[in-house]
Amino acid sequence: MHDARAGSHLGCGATCEMAVRGLPSADADLAQVLRLVQDVVPDFRGELCDAPSMSDENEALRVATALTRYWRHAHPEAGAHYAALRCWGLAIWQPVYLAVIAAHAAPAVPHLSGLMQPVVAGVPKGFRLPAHAPLTGDLQLRMRTAAQEIRIYCDRMRAVLLPKVGLHRMAADRLQAECVLGALLLVGRHDMTLRAEELIAHGQAWLAMLDLVGSCDFFAYRARDGTGRLALDRQVCCHHFRRHDGEKCSTCPKLPLDTRIGLLQAQPA
């Protein structure tokens, strides 16, 4: 029913392995959350750690500096918009995926304060999360909590990236919305009991809570085998095609919808 591959175009499409290290029994709830997120995204790496050695603001500045230092020079032919969106997508995809997927696939949602992302060669390589008690509750409460965590994290990261790469506010909103809905597509692929209508409703709820309504959406199409699927109806181009080794993504908003559907249908199941 769902096509998680439609989110693979994102700067937040980089993948990494997840490892949950030995933890005191008091942190078992948070360790369970990470394991359940890993069930949805096997190629995801996170570990619990002691209290961070720097403030959230300084951590955001460290990540933003490492990303912009690399991507400002990595593909100059792709232009400033590519570098800005690449930095933004890479900076936020792990926290966004963690929060959204935990809200749907786990009984509790972690706080993102203190989350640290080691950056290697311009790419965040997993994350470290201080041990704490995640917030439990029903799905609606978990979604509201996760949305607030995402909002705080992304606002902080945006504030430090903006002066470094001239990040356009509307483009940043749209890429953030793509990350949210891309994570939700993975939830739908993992939980096949979720109907497309439910997934769409969840997506609209997430975007409303984040003040991102209209920044991204889903569209439905039929795979080659006739199965109904959902893909991201993106509203911003990542400019990957401007790289010397790049091309337009299968869900590029610059392509007509029929072309996007044809590219998705051509992908292996």
Side-chain angles (χ1 to χ4, degrees), residues 39-54:
D39 287 343
V40 178
V41 191
D43 296 330
F44 204 62
R45 179 176 182 177
E47 60 184 58
L48 301 190
C49 63
D50 296 328
S53 58
M54 64 178 67

Side-chain angles (χ1 to χ4, degrees), residues 63-147:
V63 171
T65 299
L67 291 173
T68 55
R69 182 181 294 130
Y70 182 89
W71 290 104
R72 187 180 288 125
H73 306 291
H75 291 280
E77 76 281 4
H81 292 305
Y82 167 78
L85 288 175
R86 183 66 170 159
C87 290
W88 174 238
L90 286 169
I92 68 172
W93 85 268
Q94 291 191 120
V96 169
Y97 272 44
L98 173 62
V100 172
I101 294 171
H104 288 275
V109 171
H111 295 288
L112 299 180
S113 178
L115 184 145
M116 296 171 285
Q117 300 191 80
V119 178
V120 180
V123 178
K125 295 292 186 180
F127 61 89
R128 297 171 185 161
L129 193 63
H132 65 273
L135 189 140
T136 59
D138 63 18
L139 176 59
Q140 293 304 313
L141 178 58
R142 297 197 305 271
M143 288 175 63
R144 289 196 299 271
T145 300

Side-chain angles (χ1 to χ4, degrees), residues 118-172:
V119 178
V120 180
V123 178
K125 295 292 186 180
F127 61 89
R128 297 171 185 161
L129 193 63
H132 65 273
L135 189 140
T136 59
D138 63 18
L139 176 59
Q140 293 304 313
L141 178 58
R142 297 197 305 271
M143 288 175 63
R144 289 196 299 271
T145 300
Q148 182 64 13
E149 292 292 318
I150 290 170
R151 184 191 294 271
I152 293 171
Y153 188 93
C154 289
D155 285 352
R156 183 167 54 239
M157 187 61 69
R158 189 188 303 229
V160 296
L161 265 178
L162 182 61
K164 291 179 176 294
V165 292
L167 189 65
H168 190 278
R169 180 174 184 82
M170 183 176 292

Side-chain angles (χ1 to χ4, degrees), residues 192-214:
M192 298 304 293
T193 66
L194 272 176
R195 293 178 293 110
E197 295 79 8
E198 294 176 283
L199 207 62
I200 292 170
H202 287 321
Q204 291 303 310
W206 276 108
L207 297 189
M209 287 185 286
L210 291 165
D211 291 330
L212 296 174
V213 173

